C-alpha cells in the first residue's frame, strides 16, 4: 500500500461519527462533539468537499469566513489590536500598496460593490507594519548575534597569540587549537553564515499580488479584523515562501506546474514546450494568488473552500487541472500563448473533480515537493 493510500485510510479512521451526523452550520456553531477536534475537522473537510459551503449567487455566506479561520487555524485577534496597526499611519510599503489597490479585481462588479479601496489599503498597510516589525526584531537579533560573535573571535585571537605550552614550543596544546576552541570557531562560522542567509531570504513588507490575495478575504469576511487575521495566517504560516526574498516559493510552484503537467499529460506538456511556453510565462498570477486572479469571484471562493480544507499547496494541481480542462483548445491553437494570457472562467466543481483525479497520478515524492514548496 502506498503512503498516499495509507494517509487516506487514516483520514477516514479519524472522522467523528457524531460530527458526520451534524450539518456544517451546526458543527461550526456548537463545536466538536465530545471535544473530538481532530475528528470534527476531518468531518468538516469532507462536508466541504461533498456539499460545499452554502452561499447565495454572489458567493455571500455568513458561515464561510468562520470555516476559513478554523481551517487556517487562525488565532483570535481583538479589533483593538487591528486598530492599533491602522492608527500607526502609513507603513514603509504604503506607496507600493497604493500603486496596486486601485487595480484589484477592477473589472469585478461584485467585489467593487462590497469592498472599498480604503478597506483594502488599511488591511495591506496593517499587514506591512506587522512584517516590518518582525523584520526589525530579526535584524536586532542578528546584530546581537554578530556582537557576540565578534567578542568571541576577539577572545580567540587573543588566546592564539599566547606562547605554545606543548613540547618543543609547538602550539598543539594552546587554547586556540584545543578542541573547545575549534568548536567555538566552528560555531562562529556557522553563525555568520546563518546571519547572511537570513538577510538574503528576508521577508519583505509588501509583495505585488498581496492585494489580490487579500481581496477574497475582505469580500467574505464580516469585518476587516477577521479578514486581516485570516490573510495574515495564510501568508505567514501556509505561504511564507511566496513573500520571502525573490518569492522563491512562487518559482518553485511554477516549476512544479511544469513537472506535474509532464506527468499527467506528457503530450500537452511537450506541445507547450515546443511553443516556448513554460509555467513561468503563463501561470505566474495563478500560482501567486491561488487562482484569485481568474473570475468569477464566487467560484474563487468555492475553490478556496477546497484549498483551505485540504491545503493551499493543491493550487498547483488546480492550475494543471485547468490546463487539462482546455486541452483540446490548447492543442488546436497555433498560438496557445494568446489563449493562456488569461485563463477561462473558473469552474470550481470541475476543477476539484479534475484535481482529485490528478492526485492519484502523482508519485509520493513529487507530492511531497508540492506540499513543501511554499514553506
Amino acid at each position: 500500500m502506498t503512503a498516499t493510500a495509507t494517509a487516506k485510510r487514516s483520514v477516514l479512521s479519524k472522522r467523528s461519527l457524531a460530527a458526520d451526523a451534524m450539518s456544517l452550520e451546526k458543527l461550526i456553531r456548537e463545536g466538536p462533539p465530545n471535544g473530538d477536534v481532530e475528528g470534527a475537522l476531518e468531518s468538516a473537510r469532507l462536508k466541504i468537499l461533498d456539499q460545499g459551503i452554502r452561499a447565495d449567487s454572489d458567493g455571500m455566506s455568513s458561515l464561510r469566513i468562520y470555516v476559513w479561520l478554523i481551517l487556517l487555524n487562525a488565532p483570535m485577534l481583538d479589533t483593538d489590536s487591528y486598530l492599533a496597526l491602522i492608527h500607526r499611519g502609513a507603513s514603509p510599503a504604503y506607496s507600493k500598496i497604493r500603486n496596486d489597490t486601485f487595480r484589484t479585481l477592477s473589472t469585478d462588479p461584485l467585489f467593487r460593490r462590497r469592498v472599498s479601496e480604503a478597506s483594502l489599503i488599511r488591511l495591506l498597510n496593517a499587514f506591512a507594519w506587522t512584517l516590518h516589525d518582525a523584520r526589525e526584531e530579526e535584524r536586532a537579533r542578528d546584530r546581537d548575534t554578530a556582537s557576540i560573535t565578534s567578542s568571541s573571535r576577539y577572545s580567540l585571537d587573543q588566546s592564539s597569540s599566547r606562547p605554545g605550552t606543548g613540547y618543543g614550543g609547538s602550539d598543539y596544546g594552546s587554547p586556540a587549537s584545543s578542541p573547545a576552541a575549534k568548536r567555538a570557531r566552528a560555531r562562529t562560522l556557522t553563525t555568520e553564515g546563518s546571519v547572511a542567509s537570513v538577510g538574503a531570504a528576508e521577508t519583505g513588507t509588501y509583495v505585488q499580488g498581496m492585494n489580490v490575495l487579500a481581496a477574497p478575504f475582505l469580500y467574505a469576511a464580516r469585518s476587516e479584523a477577521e479578514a486581516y487575521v485570516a490573510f495574515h495566517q495564510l501568508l505567514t504560516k501556509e505561504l511564507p515562501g511566496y513573500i520571502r526574498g525573490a518569492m522563491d516559493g512562487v518559482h518553485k510552484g511554477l516549476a512544479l506546474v511544469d513537472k506535474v503537467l509532464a506527468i499527467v499529460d506528457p503530450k500537452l506538456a511537450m506541445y507547450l514546450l515546443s511553443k516556448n511556453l513554460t509555467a513561468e510565462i503563463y501561470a505566474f498570477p495563478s500560482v501567486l494568488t491561488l487562482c484569485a486572479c481568474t473570475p468569477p469571484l464566487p467560484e474563487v471562493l468555492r475553490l478556496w473552500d477546497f484549498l483551505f480544507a485540504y491545503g493551499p499547496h493543491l493550487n498547483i494541481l488546480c492550475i494543471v487541472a485547468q490546463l487539462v480542462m482546455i486541452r483540446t483548445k490548447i492543442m488546436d491553437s497555433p498560438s496557445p500563448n494568446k489563449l493562456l494570457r488569461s485563463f477561462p472562467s473558473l469552474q470550481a466543481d470541475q476543477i476539484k473533480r479534475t484535481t482529485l483525479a490528478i492526485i492519484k497520478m502523482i508519485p509520493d515524492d513529487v507530492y511531497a515537493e508540492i506540499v513543501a514548496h511554499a514553506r
Side-chain angles (χ1 to χ4, degrees), residues 209-337:
M210 282 185 184
N211 56 315
V212 180
L213 275 171
F217 287 115
L218 283 167
Y219 186 82
R222 306 185 77 177
S223 72
E224 277 183 36
E226 288 175 346
Y228 168 80
V229 72
F231 175 74
H232 182 279
Q233 189 76 356
L234 174 68
L235 288 185
T236 60
K237 302 302 181 184
E238 299 289 342
L239 308 174
Y242 282 22
I243 60 173
R244 186 172 56 239
M247 297 191 289
D248 289 342
V250 176
H251 294 289
K252 288 178 182 177
L254 291 165
L256 283 166
V257 170
D258 289 328
K259 180 182 280 193
V260 171
L261 184 60
I263 294 168
V264 172
D265 193 333
K267 189 174 181 180
L268 178 58
M270 288 299 295
Y271 182 70
L272 289 174
L273 283 177
S274 73
K275 300 294 183 178
N276 296 317
L277 284 174
T278 63
E280 286 273 358
I281 295 172
Y282 63 80
F284 191 93
S286 296
V287 171
L288 176 60
T289 67
L290 301 184
C291 292
C293 59
T294 305
L297 186 53
E299 293 296 302
V300 171
L301 302 180
R302 295 177 69 186
L303 187 62
W304 277 26
D305 295 340
F306 171 63
L307 293 178
F308 294 162
Y310 290 95
H313 60 273
L314 286 178
N315 183 52
I316 301 303
L317 302 186
C318 289
I319 294 168
V320 174
Q322 291 172 77
L323 295 172
V324 171
M325 287 162 56
I326 58 171
R327 181 185 194 280
T328 302
K329 289 183 179 180
I330 294 174
M331 297 294 288
D332 290 345
S333 173
S335 301
N337 58 316

Side-chain angles (χ1 to χ4, degrees), residues 179-193:
K182 289 176 180 176
R183 283 196 296 272
R185 276 200 297 273
R187 282 198 299 272
T188 299
L189 294 170
T190 304
T191 304
E192 288 175 332

Side-chain angles (χ1 to χ4, degrees), residues 168-200:
S170 72
D171 65 353
Y172 177 83
S174 70
S177 62
S178 68
K182 289 176 180 176
R183 283 196 296 272
R185 276 200 297 273
R187 282 198 299 272
T188 299
L189 294 170
T190 304
T191 304
E192 288 175 332
S194 298
V195 172
S197 65
V198 167

